[in-house]
Amino acid sequence: QVQLQESGPGLVKPSQTLSLTCTVSGGSISSGSYYWSWIRQPAGKGLEWIGRIYTSGSTNYNPSLKSRVTISVDTSKNQFSLKLSSVTAADTAVYYCAREPYGYNLDYWGQGTLVTVSS
Amino acid sequence: VIWMTQSPSLLSASTGDRVTISCRMSQGISSYLAWYQQKPGKAPELLIYAASTLQSGVPSRFSGSGSGTDFTLTISCLQSEDFATYYCQQYYSFPRTFGQGTKVEIK
């Protein structure tokens, strides 16, 4: 059973960079045709897709965030990461990592981690 | 960007009811649509993919239909554990987008 777990600071100051890591267990991040994704959800609001990465390093980003987002993968640690630069209060949200089989739906999700942007 | 209109945003129903949730796309997406269920404080869970394929382990009272621009999620006999928020998501093109969500509450 694949499991995903987000980790990283819960509080980030405005204008700084938000950094989160998703650790995958129960299987190799490199096995199979899977993309690895980040999604976020502001409190009381809907879901926003941030972007995804394949283990080759190929990425796709949401154009609304593209200038500030970097997603990377470390296959040796079975992890992938999110960096979001120049954050503002509007970036306060629960951030989820998820697996996307064959570039389709999102079948396994992490539990989510709340990141608050505040001074 | 493919825009999605999900309706209703709030649905009041009773246990045992049959409920339907609609998701309409701004352009055709074939069958590249998924439905998720989210309970408070939890991550979304995949219910249906490819518009009508039930994810393993999901009860058969859930079903999905549609293709192109109009899709429907149906819960045939609402159970207490089904009171939650439901989202549709298209994976036809980038960026992936989600509907605004439908909260199913107890009537």
Side-chain angles (χ1 to χ4, degrees):
Chain A
Q1 176 85 353
V2 173
Q3 292 186 312
L4 294 86
Q5 177 69 58
E6 305 89 352
S7 60
L11 181 64
V12 181
K13 288 180 167 46
S15 80
Q16 294 191 342
T17 296
L18 177 160
S19 296
L20 296 174
T21 296
C22 183
T23 301
V24 179
S25 58
S28 169
I29 199 170
S30 301
S31 66
S33 297
Y34 300 116
Y35 288 82
W36 303 92
S37 302
W38 288 98
I39 302 98
R40 70 180 183 178
Q41 184 174 37
K45 296 188 178 181
L47 299 159
E48 180 180 31
W49 182 82
I50 299 171
R52 69 175 193 177
I53 190 165
Y54 193 62
T55 48
S56 65
S58 173
T59 55
N60 300 98
Y61 297 134
N62 193 322
S64 68
L65 299 168
K66 187 174 183 177
S67 63
R68 299 193 291 130
V69 171
T70 302
I71 298 176
S72 59
V73 64
D74 186 337
T75 55
S76 67
K77 294 182 178 179
N78 234 32
Q79 295 175 336
F80 62 107
S81 299
L82 169 70
K83 290 189 185 298
L84 181 65
S85 64
S86 305
V87 298
T88 69
D91 295 310
T92 294
V94 174
Y95 286 75
Y96 296 101
C97 59
R99 189 181 81 167
E100 184 181 304
Y102 311 103
Y104 292 156
N105 46 263
L106 299 158
D107 63 349
Y108 286 96
W109 295 63
Q111 65 185 27
T113 188
L114 174 62
V115 179
T116 301
V117 179
S118 174
S119 55
Chain B
V1 179
I2 295 177
W3 299 107
M4 307 170 70
T5 303
Q6 190 175 337
S7 60
S9 56
L10 178 64
L11 194 161
S12 297
S14 301
T15 303
D17 284 353
R18 177 184 180 91
V19 301
T20 60
I21 298 169
S22 171
C23 193
R24 176 165 288 179
M25 308 296 133
S26 60
Q27 65 186 74
I29 62 165
S30 184
S31 297
Y32 293 97
L33 186 100
W35 289 96
Y36 302 87
Q37 177 193 69
Q38 186 179 33
K39 295 182 178 178
K42 300 294 186 181
E45 293 186 359
L46 178 65
L47 295 175
I48 287 168
Y49 61 95
S52 61
T53 302
L54 208 61
Q55 173 71 346
S56 175
V58 174
S60 59
R61 63 181 179 271
F62 291 92
S63 64
S65 64
S67 67
T69 60
D70 293 306
F71 299 86
T72 300
L73 172 70
T74 300
I75 310 173
S76 61
C77 183
L78 203 61
Q79 301 299 300
S80 57
E81 60 266 32
D82 301 336
F83 292 98
T85 300
Y86 295 83
Y87 293 94
C88 53
Q89 181 226 347
Q90 65 82 19
Y91 47 92
Y92 178 79
S93 69
F94 295 105
R96 307 304 199 214
T97 45
F98 293 86
Q100 303 93 320
T102 295
K103 182 177 181 180
V104 178
E105 66 170 20
I106 300 173
K107 192 173 186 179

